Amino acid sequence: VQLQASGGGFVQAGDSLRLSCAAPRRTFSNNAVGWFRQAPGKGREFVSSISWNGRTVSHADSVKGRFTISRDSAVYLQMNDLKPEDTAVYYCAVGISAYSGPNSDSYRYWGQGTLVTVSS
């Protein structure tokens, strides 16, 4: 299964970006989808997740109030008020069930990632 994350770029602190995660039809229609990120020299960390029906979402404390996750046929991560510490490669992943939380072991398919760079 091939996931395609897109929407990354180079922005200034305080700007916004919208990331998209697309996949072949029905790849994640019954599964949760999550966003993770990996900053240079650091491990992968959870950002946000959304349940199969979009009714349950979860965010890391570091992005609460700034990031919003949503879905229709694709999954989106709206990132507002970006900070330099948000700089990372962002990955989307398909959960192994309808509800998946912050544990990366709960996800089975991973996209190639999209780079977000936030300048101060």
Side-chain angles (χ1 to χ4, degrees):
V1 174
Q2 201 160 20
L3 300 179
Q4 182 64 52
S6 62
F10 182 96
V11 297
Q12 301 293 319
D15 286 349
S16 298
L17 281 175
R18 188 193 197 205
L19 306 184
S20 299
C21 178
R25 188 179 178 185
R26 298 177 65 85
T27 296
F28 50 52
S29 59
N30 296 319
N31 297 77
V33 175
W35 284 97
F36 292 76
R37 66 187 181 186
Q38 187 165 16
K42 296 187 177 180
R44 183 170 55 194
E45 66 172 352
F46 170 77
V47 177
S48 302
S49 66
I50 188 166
S51 62
W52 74 280
N53 58 6
R55 294 176 182 174
T56 301
V57 300
S58 179
H59 297 285
D61 287 344
S62 59
V63 306
K64 280 181 180 177
R66 300 189 297 123
F67 290 12
T68 302
I69 189 170
S70 61
R71 67 185 298 165
D72 47 36
S73 59
V75 176
Y76 308 98
L77 186 67
Q78 177 66 42
M79 307 186 296
N80 297 329
D81 190 23
L82 283 161
K83 305 177 184 299
E85 52 263 42
D86 295 319
T87 294
V89 177
Y90 284 70
Y91 301 90
C92 61
V94 179
I96 60 176
S97 66
Y99 299 87
S100 294
N103 190 334
S104 60
D105 291 340
S106 299
Y107 297 83
R108 57 180 171 181
Y109 301 128
W110 293 80
Q112 292 187 336
T114 184
L115 177 62
V116 173
T117 304
V118 185
S119 172
S120 57

